[in-house]
Amino acid sequence: MPSTSTRHVIAVVVLVPVLAALALWAFAWPAARTAPRDLPLGIAGPPAATAQVEKGLERHEGAFEIHRYADEAAARDAIEDRTVYGAVVVTPQGPELLTASAAGPAVAQFLQQAVGRQAAAEGTPIKTVDVVAAPASDPRGAALNAAVLPLALAGIAAGAVVTVLGLRGVRAASALLGASALVGVVAAGIAHSWLGVLTGDWWAEAAVLALSTLAVSGAVAGLAALVGTAGLGIAAAVVMLLGNPFSAAPSAPQMLPEPAGAIGQWLPPGAGTTLLRSVAYFDGAAATGPALTLAWWAALGLGAVLLGGSLRRRKTGSAPTTDDRKLATVG
């Protein structure tokens, strides 16, 4: 029978490649399969005039979810409300493509290529108008994409520190709330005030960043409070191996293979990114869904922290003390 040290060596040799394969799948698979899947796209104009445009878009089978609007104003409103990512408008002067690079520069670029290629094939030049433009300091959305990982790491670190320091119950919850609030303020100061990559209401952005951090830290500390230190690894793995690569920060949920896009929006990094875009660039449009997702994660996490502390106190209080055991022995 192999010795304990030999079994440990075998475990490391087997486990490391498995973890590497899992990480490679989680990060490389969505990136390699990025393509539109029922991407919401508007078409505006007289039905007779838009029929040919719609027919051309149908060649991209399964790529677009078509929304029809009466005129350009309605299409612009839909883009600003985050109902669609762009719209093709047929006007007497020729077709126009309305995009919103703030909703995802990669999506806007794809629409320009797909619609522009179709227009070029038909010999019709098309004008592109960026209705909600990304900030000039971050035209490609690189800074927003780069912020996903640090926020996730901050949440994991906060949950881990609270657990390692042995904070329980109300003290642990207070520490998580305070740390998350401070992260939100610092992150907003860097991203908005210094770098200028966020352009919405400063306090609303700070609140979103804080809530995103709290959702992660609460999940990490809460699971650890219920199942022990193994909960740290489980929660961290879910956030890092699923939440981060499935967040769709570089593009949009509809650009990821299913079910990655849907899963990502139910996890804190994806919901936080979507909510931050809404608050920073769209005056809070379509913010309810991701805000509720983050709130549920935070509430469940803090609830687990409080429950774990209560269970631990109850268990400690019911355990016989040394004096009790001595009295029982004498009796």
Side-chain angles (χ1 to χ4, degrees), residues 256-322:
L256 299 185
E258 290 297 344
I263 292 174
Q265 293 307 296
W266 282 104
L267 295 174
T273 301
T274 300
L275 181 58
L276 187 59
R277 284 191 190 279
S278 293
V279 169
Y281 309 130
F282 293 88
D283 294 326
T288 303
L292 288 175
T293 299
L294 291 177
W296 273 111
W297 274 97
L300 291 174
L302 293 177
V305 168
L306 296 174
L307 177 61
S310 177
L311 293 175
R312 183 176 292 271
R313 286 194 304 271
R314 190 174 303 173
K315 182 179 180 180
T316 304
S318 62
T321 64
T322 303

Side-chain angles (χ1 to χ4, degrees), residues 90 116 126 170 172 177 206 236 241-242 271 279 294 296 299 302 314:
V90 179
I126 188 168
V170 175
L177 286 167
L241 295 181
L242 294 181
V279 169
L294 291 177
W296 273 111
L302 293 177
R314 190 174 303 173

Side-chain angles (χ1 to χ4, degrees), residues 65-92:
E65 178 186 276
I66 302 299
H67 296 244
R68 298 170 183 82
Y69 301 100
D71 51 30
E72 180 176 348
R76 284 176 174 267
D77 289 342
I79 292 173
E80 293 172 352
D81 291 340
R82 304 206 70 184
T83 303
V84 295
Y85 284 90
V88 180
V89 181
V90 179
T91 69

Side-chain angles (χ1 to χ4, degrees), residues 212-223:
S212 299
T213 305
L214 182 61
V216 175
S217 62
V220 172
L223 194 58

